């Protein structure tokens, strides 16, 4: 199960705590928490003290989520919360290699360099091929638009790339 830290900042932790206890009572095997309240949505910062409090009361694995965008941040969150794992969300959009970088850093303490442009291209083309194989060409082309946009979001040629991708009607 995964839950937010609460409905609003004034009651943060309460609904997350209630949900986490309910999951544990229902024999859940793990619990994830975003460290944000519902009214925050994606704004503000994740509240790791709330996640740490939930971890301290639960006897099932707890997964911290929220603002984890680098290997160092993943380690900091694990250290601050005592959680069993981290969950990466938006930071992996267009950067799926971040998961391997985090795993490597947590296992060795060493940072892995960012992939080269050629490596990113190969990952992107593999991702695109999998989308088309899974959804079929017509639907795959439409779904791929947002994924390809994520890959290009921080690149200087983003606008031109997105223009081509968003007008594509076929996989070719």
């Amino acid at each position: 199960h995964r839950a937010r830290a609460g409905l609003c900042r004034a009651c943060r932790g309460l609904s997350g705590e209630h949900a986490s206890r309910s999951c544990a009572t229902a024999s859940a095997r793990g619990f994830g928490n975003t460290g944000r309240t519902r009214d925050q949505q994606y704004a503000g910062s994740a509240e790791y003290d709330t996640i740490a409090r939930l971890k301290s009361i639960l006897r099932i694995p707890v997964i911290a989520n929220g603002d984890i965008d680098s290997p160092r941040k993943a380690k900091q969150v694990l250290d601050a919360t005592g959680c069993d794992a981290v969950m990466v969300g938006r930071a992996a959009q267009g950067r799926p290699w971040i998961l391997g970088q985090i795993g490597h850093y947590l296992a060795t303490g060493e940072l892995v360099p960012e992939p080269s442009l050629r490596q990113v291209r190969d990952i992107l083309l593999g991702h695109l091929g999998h989308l088309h194989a899974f959804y079929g060409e017509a639907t795959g082309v439409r779904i791929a638009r947002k994924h390809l946009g994520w890959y290009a979001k921080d690149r200087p040629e983003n606008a031109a790339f997105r223009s081509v991708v968003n007008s594509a009607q076929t996989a070719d």
Side-chain angles (χ1 to χ4, degrees), residues 112-126:
V112 175
E114 290 294 311
S116 68
L117 190 55
R118 178 171 290 213
Q119 290 169 315
V120 171
R121 181 203 64 198
D122 292 346
I123 293 167
L124 182 151
L125 290 174

Side-chain angles (χ1 to χ4, degrees), residues 19 46 54 67 78 88 110 114 120 141 146 169:
L54 295 176
D67 299 335
L78 287 170
V88 179
E110 299 170 357
E114 290 294 311
V120 171
V141 166
K146 72 178 175 184
Q169 299 298 314

